[in-house]
Amino acid sequence: MAGIYVHIPFCNSFCIYCGFYSVINKQIRENYIPALKREISGRRNFFTDGTKINTLYFGGGTPSVMEIPQLEEIVQCLKENFDFAFAAGAVDKFEFTVEVNPDDITPQYADGLKSIGVNRISMGVQSFIDEHLKWMHRRHTAKEAINAYHILRDAGFENISLDLIFGFAGLTARQWRYNLDKITSLRPDHISAYQLSIDEGTALEALANQGKYLPVDADECAAQYAALQNVLAAAGYDQYEISNFARRTDTISSHVSGSGVNSLPRSISYRSQHNSNYWNKIPYLGLGPGAHSFDGSNHREWNFPNVENYCNLQTKEIRSGETLTEKDIFNESIMLGLRQTDGLDLNALNKGLLKTTLTAIARLEDEHLLLQDNIKDNAGNEQFIIKIPTDKFFISDSIMRDLFL
Ligand code: SF4
């Protein structure tokens, strides 16, 4: 099992808060596909023999600024070079996600995505209030986002994720509640909600440095996060990670237009398989400038975030890498495991290093900042799971920090 991430580093304009690597230059888009195909074939031996790819994710940037034939050319090249666990209609076995922006979605484009095998859509809505969308420099209105969602449903997409942002100046508790009610009334299959952060190099950082943007205080953000958890739980969404919620499959109902939805097997989880693979340390290959790769053990690589160099240089000159130490692996396991509601199995940690944190674990349990949940796996082996209680997720960074070496 493994995943492939393809970075499409182009946007038609920049959102105020966005720190992802992306460029607006339209001329370079034509050179990008040949360069990407060069990297794909150069990386064909990245995974060990026999590894099946079970998730494919096109992220950005904005993948939906590319034409369907361009995306199809990339998919075709990937199929020629990797062993995909494709199975017609098996949406619970192979997940192919594309991130889209609402303003790019037309019925023709949605049909095109379907025709190349995409079975999961992730769409950035961010807010249902136009004043906020304008401030964020989003290119769509709330109405356009809702319309795009219905177009995708009508095209037959049975797995749609929508993103929201909270914790920014000007978002009142009442407006946040409005956004939560609006998103749950649409019944997407998955919801991601992120607290706005001031990232380096963004327009928002410049505003903050000039004193023109004042960050929201932590108590207000915590209240909005608690509202997020409560409203989504009541609406039938299970939280499985700090920022991610999957619709319970027994809540499938007739609100979903388009064909075939009611034939979905009940076993399907709407958790993002691709992102869950990251958190569960499944190997993944990242293609495109700025993309990261991991061998599933102790080696990471990253492509430099420079699309001009990416298009002009030989494959081996575009990236760097590092071998993780036992301490790095330990800290990463803490961070990846504790962000999930499933928690972290202590058996998976280096025993010697774990000994040095047992006191901190016990103290955090006493303070009700960690829970122990000992269970048996399918083979009857005992697992010693630790979890952050979901009502403490908002302060998860500081809890994890207490366990880092
Ligand atoms: S949020 Fe998405 S659309 Fe906006 S600049 Fe970032 S990558 Fe581009």
Side-chain angles (χ1 to χ4, degrees):
M1 200 159 74
I4 292 182
Y5 172 83
V6 178
H7 193 66
I8 306 293
F10 306 116
C11 290
N12 286 336
S13 58
F14 291 136
C15 304
I16 195 168
Y17 53 81
C18 181
F20 292 122
Y21 176 65
S22 186
V23 298
I24 291 176
N25 181 347
K26 289 196 174 155
Q27 276 162 350
I28 203 154
R29 292 182 194 180
E30 279 175 24
N31 300 337
Y32 188 58
I33 304 285
L36 193 53
K37 286 167 76 174
R38 194 164 59 231
E39 191 189 7
I40 291 170
S41 53
R43 302 281 266 169
R44 62 182 305 155
N45 296 321
F46 178 82
F47 297 109
T48 48
D49 281 353
T51 302
K52 287 248 186 244
I53 308 301
N54 71 318
T55 66
L56 176 58
Y57 194 106
F58 282 22
T62 313
S64 56
V65 299
M66 303 300 269
E67 305 290 334
I68 295 295
Q70 293 176 307
L71 297 178
E72 188 172 23
E73 202 177 331
I74 301 168
V75 172
Q76 190 51 38
C77 184
L78 287 165
K79 281 185 187 170
E80 285 161 14
N81 286 278
F82 295 96
D83 192 2
F84 278 86
F86 276 118
V91 288
D92 55 344
K93 293 209 174 65
F94 181 77
E95 182 188 270
F96 179 5
T97 306
V98 172
E99 289 179 356
V100 303
N101 262 13
D103 49 314
D104 295 320
I105 298 303
T106 61
Q108 296 72 21
Y109 198 82
D111 288 345
L113 291 174
K114 267 246 129 184
S115 73
I116 62 169
V118 177
N119 59 16
R120 184 172 183 272
I121 297 286
S122 173
M123 185 163 75
V125 173
Q126 319 310 8
S127 174
F128 291 96
I129 298 170
D130 286 342
E131 175 198 341
H132 293 153
L133 293 170
K134 208 165 162 195
W135 174 76
M136 291 174 188
H137 297 181
R138 298 290 295 172
R139 293 188 304 276
H140 58 88
T141 62
K143 197 171 163 201
E144 283 163 350
I146 293 168
N147 192 32
Y149 175 79
H150 290 304
I151 289 174
L152 291 163
R153 282 295 196 209
D154 288 344
F157 283 102
E158 297 169 353
N159 194 350
I160 301 179
S161 177
L162 301 181
D163 287 6
L164 284 181
I165 296 179
F166 67 96
F168 55 90
L171 175 70
T172 64
R174 184 190 287 251
Q175 288 170 329
W176 180 231
R177 179 66 204 230
Y178 171 81
N179 277 342
L180 293 172
D181 288 342
K182 199 81 192 161
I183 202 167
T184 51
S185 72
L186 289 173
R187 308 301 295 159
D189 309 292
H190 184 277
I191 297 171
S192 301
Y194 302 100
Q195 184 183 336
L196 186 90
S197 58
I198 302 178
D199 288 356
E200 212 183 311
T202 60
L204 189 62
E205 184 195 44
L207 287 178
N209 289 344
Q210 293 160 20
K212 292 180 183 163
Y213 177 78
L214 294 178
V216 179
D217 78 58
D219 288 347
E220 207 175 323
C221 291
Q224 291 181 1
Y225 185 70
L228 166 77
Q229 292 180 306
N230 294 336
V231 174
L232 295 198
Y237 289 84
D238 288 329
Q239 181 167 23
Y240 67 101
E241 194 267 349
I242 291 171
S243 306
N244 288 287
F245 302 78
R247 184 165 63 78
R248 268 172 236 138
T249 48
D250 58 4
T251 63
I252 288 174
S253 66
S254 56
H255 61 271
V256 182
S257 58
S259 60
V261 166
N262 290 326
S263 63
L264 279 173
R266 294 296 185 202
S267 60
I268 289 177
S269 163
Y270 288 109
R271 291 182 179 200
S272 162
Q273 291 180 52
H274 185 81
N275 289 336
S276 297
N277 282 357
Y278 289 153
W279 302 321
N280 293 321
K281 301 176 119 184
I282 308 288
Y284 55 86
L285 170 63
L287 301 157
H292 287 236
S293 305
F294 177 54
D295 70 353
S297 167
N298 66 351
H299 192 71
R300 289 199 176 283
E301 292 175 334
W302 55 90
N303 290 347
F304 301 120
N306 183 319
V307 69
E308 285 84 9
N309 284 348
Y310 182 83
C311 291
N312 295 326
L313 299 178
Q314 292 305 308
T315 305
K316 61 179 183 308
E317 297 173 298
I318 60 164
R319 80 177 61 87
S320 186
E322 66 176 347
T323 298
L324 304 175
T325 64
E326 284 296 326
K327 185 178 149 193
D328 294 333
I329 294 170
F330 183 91
N331 289 343
E332 219 168 66
S333 300
I334 298 279
M335 191 184 66
L336 295 173
L338 289 183
R339 66 190 299 156
Q340 303 182 69
T341 53
D342 287 346
L344 168 71
D345 181 6
L346 295 180
N347 286 325
L349 298 175
N350 175 304
K351 300 280 173 294
L353 296 178
L354 175 61
K355 269 188 198 156
T356 64
T357 52
L358 287 176
T359 312
I361 290 174
R363 177 178 54 76
L364 290 167
E365 282 175 8
D366 285 348
E367 293 169 4
H368 307 290
L369 298 173
L370 273 184
L371 298 172
Q372 272 245 24
D373 189 9
N374 297 344
I375 54 169
K376 289 210 162 118
D377 65 16
N378 292 341
N381 301 316
E382 195 154 17
Q383 293 184 312
F384 299 95
I385 308 285
I386 54 168
K387 297 174 179 180
I388 296 179
T390 52
D391 65 345
K392 299 293 186 305
F393 263 160
F394 190 75
I395 54 163
S396 57
D397 282 353
S398 74
I399 297 172
M400 292 178 200
R401 257 199 312 275
D402 278 1
L403 297 175
F404 288 160
L405 299 176

